[in-house]
Every structure is written in C-alpha cells, then in structure tokens.
Amino acid sequence: MLLLAAAFVVAFVLLLYMVSPLISPKSLKLPGAHVVVTGGSSGIGKCIAIECYKQGAFITLIARDENKLLQTKKEIEKYSVNDKQVVLCISVDVSKDYEQVENVLKQAQEKLGPVDMLVNCAGTSVTGKFEDIEVNSFERLMAVNYLGSVYPSRAVIATMKERRMGRIVFVSSQAGQLGLFGYTAYSPTKFALRGLAEALQMEVKPYNVYVTVAYPPDTDTPGFAEESKTKPLETKLISETSSVCQAEQVARVIVKDAIQGNFNSSVGSDGYMLSILTSGMSPVTSITEGLQQVVCMGIFRIIGLFYLGSFDSIVRRCMMQREQSESADKTE
C-alpha cells in the first residue's frame, strides 16, 4: 500500500512537470525589445540594464543624476551585440510628478518604440530605531520606494494591455518579506510593492502582461554601502547571518525571472525559503511552483522560527549590554 501511494505521488509530480510548461507564460524575447530601468545609473538597476543590453535589448535609463547616467550609458554601450542598439538617458525624479514621468516615457517610446519591459529599481533606504528616524524620512521613503514605482508603471500599463504583451518588475527586498530591527521606515515601503504587484497582476494577466516582484538580499552596491554606515548594532549582527550577494548575480536572476513571467524572483537558498514562507495568496507561474510551496511550507516554517528566535536573542543581548553600559557610566 505504501509503495502504491509513493508511486502515485511520483506519477502526479511527473504529470505536473509535463503540464506546467503548457500553462506558463511565453518567454519575452529581449533582442530588439525596449527595456526601461528606473534607478538605472548604479547598483542593481545598472546591472539589470547591462544584462538586458547583452541580450540585444534597447535601453532607457531613468535616474536623477544626469552625470551618473551619462557615465553608465558609456559603460553599458561596451556590451552591445549589434550596431542598432541604443541607450537612452532621461534625468527625472520618478517619485515627484506623475505628469512629468508620463511625458518622459512617452518621449522614450517615440524614440525606441513601446516599452516591452519596465524595471522599477529606483529606491533608497534609511535605517535606525523607530523613534530615532525623522518623521519626514517615512514620507520620503514611501514616495521614492512606492510611488516611484507606481508612476512609471501607470504610464506604460495601458500600452502594454493594448499590445497584449509586457513585463513589469518591482524590485522589492528581503526586507519586504520580513520585518527586521532597524527597518521600520524601509520595510513597509517594500512590503507595499508586494500588495501592488498582486493586485496589478490579477488585472493585467488576461492581457498577457506579467508582473514580477524581486526580493534581492543584501547586495554589494553603493546604496548598501551608504546604508551600512547608519545601521544599528542589532541590524548589523542580524545581517551577518546571511552573505552579501554581487549585483551582477542578482541582476541575472531578476532578468531571467522577468522574461519568463515569474511572479516571485529570489536569490539563494535563504531567498527561496522566504519566497515559500511568504507565498500566501500570491500568484504562481506554474503548477510545480504551487506544489513546491505546499510541500515545503511546514519545514521552512520550522527553520524560520529558529531564525526568528536567533534574531530576538540578538536584540535582547544588545539591549542588556547597552543597559549595563549605561548603568556603569552612571556609577562612575
């Protein structure tokens, strides 16, 4: 009886693998495609632009710093695969004025054609204890990290639906899956992208437009280096439990998942576990993906509890050390 049950499970899994490609989205072909990357002048955004350019795409880079954009343009152009490829640079703040964002994207589409893939990578971070963070920092981060993704997406979605094709990528963070000490201003803005992505995917899926949410871990970028300068001790110790990834590696994974139409994009074993744990009611791209979530959820929850316990231990230990230090200072 046990052998029969095992054989049934194996047959069922094999059937799912056979059927899965039939229901998965058709991959987007990058050669000749128009890819727009916000926050594309450095870090993950720049590496995503390079990865797409290597595969023959036309690139529109959007960022605030015009000088950095021009430097990045020269760097990207070194990877051209044909003489027709173009890198267009647009200097604009995607979080301030929707009409301005809409206008510059119209100009980009007039020059390079309709947007086939939009990568929302513009973002910033502030770390610190909740009561130590300036109130206006919460407002600024929500504007840049959330509205800075809403505005470009809103500007291109109608054309994508009309053409019955397109990809929209929201670059969130593992801090958008798990709230951690020191990220009370940053995490909510990245969690918000998940809600936007789920709702938007339900709207646009019938039009063959697919949304991807990327959850990169700590990544070696200029932004991460700047963020690390102000991290509380607790945050630094928690961060040491995972390794820092290279931006090129993260970019390759995001581009691959986006062109395949995968909703979730994660890097490494920790990223895979978090994607399973936080899958909830998120869309799946294939039956096999859903099966993996069902099978792995329980064991990953157990592992996750150990992680949470260790994080709480770090926070308590730091609190006790700080109190002992303050007490010692008072007695001197």
Side-chain angles (χ1 to χ4, degrees):
M1 185 68 180
L2 188 60
L3 287 174
L4 183 62
F8 175 78
V9 171
V10 171
F12 181 64
V13 171
L14 288 174
L15 179 62
L16 288 178
Y17 272 102
M18 292 173 62
V19 174
S20 178
L22 300 178
I23 64 169
S24 298
K26 186 177 180 181
S27 293
L28 176 71
K29 298 185 183 302
L30 282 182
H34 181 191
V35 178
V36 175
V37 184
T38 71
S41 62
S42 65
I44 294 174
K46 180 176 77 171
C47 291
I48 288 175
I50 290 174
E51 183 64 25
C52 292
Y53 200 68
K54 285 180 179 179
Q55 298 187 40
F58 290 70
I59 305 295
T60 294
L61 293 177
I62 297 179
R64 291 176 298 175
D65 192 321
E66 188 171 359
N67 291 329
K68 287 176 66 176
L69 277 170
L70 294 175
Q71 292 173 3
T72 302
K73 171 184 168 71
K74 293 178 181 179
E75 186 176 345
I76 293 174
E77 288 175 337
K78 297 176 183 177
Y79 298 94
S80 64
V81 295
N82 61 65
D83 295 334
K84 295 181 180 180
Q85 282 179 277
V86 175
V87 179
L88 177 65
C89 293
I90 299 176
S91 176
V92 66
D93 187 336
V94 293
S95 67
K96 285 191 174 180
D97 185 341
Y98 171 69
E99 289 187 0
Q100 187 178 20
V101 173
E102 185 180 36
N103 287 335
V104 297
L105 281 170
K106 282 182 178 178
Q107 294 171 19
Q109 293 183 91
E110 288 172 0
K111 293 180 180 179
L112 301 183
V115 176
D116 296 293
M117 184 162 79
L118 167 67
V119 182
N120 293 291
C121 201
T124 188
S125 176
V126 171
T127 56
K129 294 180 183 177
F130 181 69
E131 67 272 22
D132 294 337
I133 300 174
E134 297 291 338
V135 172
N136 61 6
S137 293
F138 291 86
E139 299 171 353
R140 181 170 63 88
L141 261 64
M142 186 58 75
V144 175
N145 295 347
Y146 179 68
L147 293 179
S149 293
V150 170
Y151 292 167
S153 302
R154 178 68 173 74
V156 303
I157 196 67
T159 304
M160 286 186 175
K161 289 171 69 175
E162 288 172 3
R163 298 175 64 222
R164 296 294 196 273
M165 65 171 292
R167 298 286 190 272
I168 294 180
V169 181
F170 297 106
V171 179
S172 179
S173 165
Q174 286 188 352
Q177 297 172 294
L178 170 67
L180 292 173
F181 191 105
Y183 286 106
T184 51
Y186 179 72
S187 280
T189 66
K190 294 299 186 176
F191 269 89
L193 291 177
R194 161 75 174 269
L196 170 63
E198 287 190 4
L200 183 59
Q201 178 65 97
M202 193 174 290
E203 289 188 18
V204 301
K205 187 176 180 180
Y207 297 90
N208 194 38
V209 177
Y210 288 88
V211 176
T212 296
V213 188
Y215 300 105
D218 287 343
T219 306
D220 186 11
T221 65
F224 177 71
E226 191 64 28
E227 169 194 316
S228 298
K229 295 178 182 178
T230 59
K231 279 183 179 179
L233 177 60
E234 293 88 342
T235 309
K236 292 180 179 178
L237 293 174
I238 290 172
S239 297
E240 289 176 358
T241 61
S242 60
S243 58
V244 178
C245 290
Q246 296 300 308
E248 294 83 2
Q249 175 193 3
V250 173
R252 283 194 296 270
V253 173
I254 293 174
V255 171
K256 179 182 177 182
D257 286 328
I259 63 178
Q260 291 178 349
N262 295 333
F263 183 78
N264 285 302
S265 179
S266 60
V267 179
S269 57
D270 286 349
Y272 177 74
M273 183 178 74
L274 275 173
S275 289
I276 296 289
L277 280 173
T278 61
S279 56
M281 288 293 289
S282 64
V284 293
T285 310
S286 67
I287 297 176
T288 51
E289 182 185 359
L291 181 65
Q292 289 172 7
Q293 293 169 357
V294 171
V295 171
C296 297
M297 180 70 77
I299 186 65
F300 283 174
R301 177 57 175 166
I302 293 173
I303 297 172
L305 290 174
F306 279 102
Y307 272 97
L308 290 173
S310 68
F311 296 161
D312 287 341
S313 177
I314 289 172
V315 173
R316 284 196 301 270
R317 188 168 68 250
C318 289
M319 181 191 71
M320 293 173 63
Q321 290 175 351
R322 190 175 291 109
E323 289 178 346
Q324 289 172 0
S325 178
E326 292 173 354
S327 178
D329 289 341
K330 289 179 181 179
T331 57
E332 290 180 356

